């Protein structure tokens, strides 16, 4: 770089997995369309969730399993922003951190990948006792309730590792369940045997969306990221995150959602289960949002005060009024489930996990 070159180098944090790097590179490509003179440098690191593969996520018993190391690098200034799968991010970020952008959502549904032996089957037509691999309590609880003829076993590792375990002819798995978004981003859509509709399996909060985390008052980076905001995805995900935050959920209990935004009406369905799927509480709420036709009002960016955050999401180009409505809808849905004893079901699930360690 010559002394007359005014380009800045933006340092981007990412996990080392192939999918994480692909997602990070995608965000950088999007940014280059708006900032063609900027240079971006990817800095990779492994997280605790990447390193501990012999335990299910809830049994590790810690928050931020896939984000802590990246957030420490962000806090120290080693990186300027971090790209995450939004479903991996807690609903409350560390002090001083914010989601500076949420990109347009990929397919949020769960996908079934069958072994070659059962390539023409669906979950409902698999033989009794067939083993399904998943590391998600949310998926295993719904399978236990809806597909009691199947057996669920934990499977960990990145996408490549889990697919390799499925393809092992001597392995136990008839099928595994993964997020459709990851398979599609890896261009492995041909591996999808079945997509599970929300009526069959609700998905994880934020699933299918990419979130970009940065320092809350880093105005330069917040401004850089602002064009990436997708209004519909942001409003849906703020609502979903608000629902989960109200329940106090995470990896330690089976909690799931689905949401839609049509004609400015935001609809969200949320549910909690016992680990065996037998106890089940579900509800749906909807609200009409005020969404300006010009995609939102610019947020106030006074350098003397921090921006308003909505479940740790900075407003970007999205209307503050719309975000407030989405956040309130998620909170109301959470309260509705709490009134139906959702917290008792979740506490029972957590106790079962603790006692199984």
């Amino acid at each position: 770089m010559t002394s007359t070159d005014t380009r800045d180098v933006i340092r981007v944090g990412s996990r080392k997995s192939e999918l994480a790097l692909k997602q990070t590179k995608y965000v950088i490509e999007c940014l280059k369309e708006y900032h063609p003179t900027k240079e971006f440098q990817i800095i990779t690191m492994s997280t605790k969730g990447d390193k501990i593969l012999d335990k299910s996520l809830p049994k590790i018993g810690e928050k931020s399993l896939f984000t802590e190391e990246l957030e420490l690098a962000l806090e120290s200034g080693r990186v300027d922003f971090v790209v995450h799968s939004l479903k991996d991010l807690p609903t409350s970020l560390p002090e001083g951190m914010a989601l500076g952008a949420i990109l347009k959502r990929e397919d949020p549904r769960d996908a079934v990948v069958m072994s070659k032996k059962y390539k023409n089957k669906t979950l409902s037509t698999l033989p009794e006792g067939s083993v399904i691999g998943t590391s998600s309590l949310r998926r295993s609880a719904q399978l236990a309730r809806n597909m009691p003829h199947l057996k669920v076993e934990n499977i960990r590792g990145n996408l490549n590792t889990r697919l390799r375990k499925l393809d092992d002819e001597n392995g136990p798995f008839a099928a595994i369940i993964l997020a459709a978004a990851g398979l599609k981003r890896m261009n492995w859509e041909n591996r999808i045997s079945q997509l599970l509709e929300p009526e069959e399996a609700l998905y994880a909060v934020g699933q299918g969306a990419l979130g970009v985390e940065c320092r809350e008052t880093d105005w330069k980076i917040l401004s850089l990221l602002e064009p990436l905001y997708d209004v519909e995805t942001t409003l849906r995900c703020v609502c979903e995150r608000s629902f989960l935050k109200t329940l106090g959920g995470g990896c330690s209990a089976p909690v799931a959602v689905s949401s839609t935004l049509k004609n400015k009406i935001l609809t969200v369905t949320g549910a909690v289960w016992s680990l065996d799927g037998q106890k089940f509480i579900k509800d749906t709420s909807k609200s009409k949002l005020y969404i300006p036709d010009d995609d939102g009002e610019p947020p106030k960016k006074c350098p003397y005060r921090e921006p308003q955050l909505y479940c740790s999401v900075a407003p970007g180009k999205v209307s503050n009024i719309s975000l407030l409505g989405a956040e309130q809808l998620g909170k109301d849905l959470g309260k509705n489930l709490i009134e139906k004893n959702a917290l008792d079901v979740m506490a029972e699930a957590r106790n079962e996990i603790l006692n199984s360690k």
Side-chain angles (χ1 to χ4, degrees):
M1 185 182 295
T2 66
S3 57
T4 58
D5 196 332
T6 59
R7 290 180 296 178
D8 296 320
V9 176
I10 308 296
R11 297 158 299 175
V12 186
S14 173
R15 291 165 61 192
K16 291 182 177 180
S17 74
E18 186 177 354
L19 175 60
L21 283 169
K22 200 173 191 75
Q23 292 177 164
T24 298
K25 290 175 182 177
Y26 170 73
V27 170
I28 290 173
E29 288 173 8
C30 292
L31 283 171
K32 284 183 175 178
E33 292 183 16
Y34 297 98
H35 311 284
T37 64
K38 297 289 185 185
E39 287 188 3
F40 297 88
Q41 176 188 4
I42 298 176
I43 298 174
T44 61
M45 56 199 78
S46 296
T47 66
K48 187 170 293 185
D50 296 315
K51 296 172 185 176
I52 303 176
L53 298 176
D54 58 345
K55 294 182 180 179
S56 65
L57 296 176
K59 287 187 177 181
I60 300 174
E62 297 183 40
K63 296 181 179 180
S64 307
L65 289 174
F66 296 104
T67 61
E68 183 177 7
E69 289 80 0
L70 293 159
E71 287 171 334
L72 288 173
L74 189 57
E75 183 180 23
S76 68
R78 284 180 55 209
V79 299
D80 297 301
F81 66 79
V82 177
V83 178
H84 300 283
S85 293
L86 189 58
K87 66 183 178 66
D88 293 334
L89 273 181
T91 54
S92 295
L93 298 182
E95 185 176 355
M97 302 299 158
L99 275 163
I102 297 177
L103 283 74
K104 185 175 179 60
R105 197 173 207 166
E106 179 54 272
D107 191 337
R109 293 173 293 178
D110 282 339
V112 180
V113 181
M114 293 287 178
S115 65
K116 293 178 181 178
K117 180 179 178 181
Y118 298 115
K119 64 179 182 179
N120 295 320
K121 297 284 189 180
T122 63
L123 287 179
S124 62
T125 60
L126 280 172
E128 187 166 352
S130 295
V131 177
I132 311 300
T134 177
S135 61
S136 163
L137 293 178
R138 170 186 60 81
R139 290 172 180 147
S140 61
Q142 292 184 87
L143 280 172
R145 183 175 182 84
N146 301 328
M147 303 282 175
H149 68 292
L150 303 176
K151 181 182 178 182
V152 178
E153 287 191 8
N154 183 61
I155 186 170
R156 290 288 317 282
N158 58 37
L159 279 181
N160 311 60
T161 300
R162 281 180 277 180
L163 288 170
R164 188 164 57 248
K165 290 178 180 179
L166 174 67
D167 293 337
D168 182 355
E169 294 182 359
N170 298 316
F173 300 109
I176 59 176
I177 301 181
L178 304 166
L183 291 165
K184 291 183 177 184
R185 289 191 180 111
M186 293 292 290
N187 296 317
W188 293 343
E189 198 167 354
N190 64 318
R191 293 301 307 263
I192 297 175
S193 306
Q194 179 183 2
L195 286 168
L196 299 178
E197 299 300 330
E199 296 78 18
E200 301 172 285
L202 298 180
Y203 42 80
V205 166
Q207 185 162 301
L210 298 179
V212 186
E213 186 179 9
C214 64
R215 291 176 289 274
E216 184 179 351
T217 55
D218 191 336
W219 310 110
K220 173 183 172 183
I221 296 299
L222 285 167
S223 176
L224 180 91
L225 297 174
E226 187 174 306
L228 300 187
Y229 265 101
D230 181 75
V231 175
E232 177 184 334
T233 301
T234 301
L235 293 172
R236 288 172 61 191
C237 289
V238 164
C239 181
E240 293 172 15
R241 285 169 64 81
S242 178
F243 164 71
L244 183 60
K245 184 176 182 178
T246 302
L247 290 176
C251 291
S252 58
V255 180
V257 297
S258 70
S259 65
T260 60
L261 179 58
K262 295 180 180 179
N263 298 320
K264 301 187 180 182
I265 296 176
L266 180 58
T267 304
V268 59
T269 297
V272 301
W273 293 262
S274 58
L275 293 187
D276 62 7
Q278 296 309 302
K279 294 181 180 178
F280 168 60
I281 300 173
K282 181 180 179 181
D283 204 351
T284 299
S285 295
K286 63 177 61 178
S287 176
K288 186 166 186 177
L289 301 182
Y290 170 76
I291 304 176
D293 293 331
D294 62 356
D295 285 340
E297 60 197 32
K300 295 179 180 179
K301 297 181 180 178
C302 172
Y304 302 107
R305 67 175 185 175
E306 296 179 355
Q308 172 70 44
L309 300 181
Y310 304 87
C311 289
S312 298
V313 179
K317 68 177 183 180
V318 187
S319 164
N320 285 273
I321 299 174
S322 305
L323 286 163
L324 186 61
E327 185 179 54
Q328 187 62 50
L329 181 62
K331 186 182 296 183
D332 290 343
L333 179 62
K335 289 179 178 178
N336 290 346
L337 264 65
I338 288 172
E339 290 178 359
K340 297 179 180 181
N341 297 320
L343 296 184
D344 292 340
V345 175
M346 295 171 67
E348 182 180 310
R350 291 191 187 100
N351 289 335
E352 284 188 48
I353 294 166
L354 289 172
N355 292 333
S356 67
K357 290 184 178 181

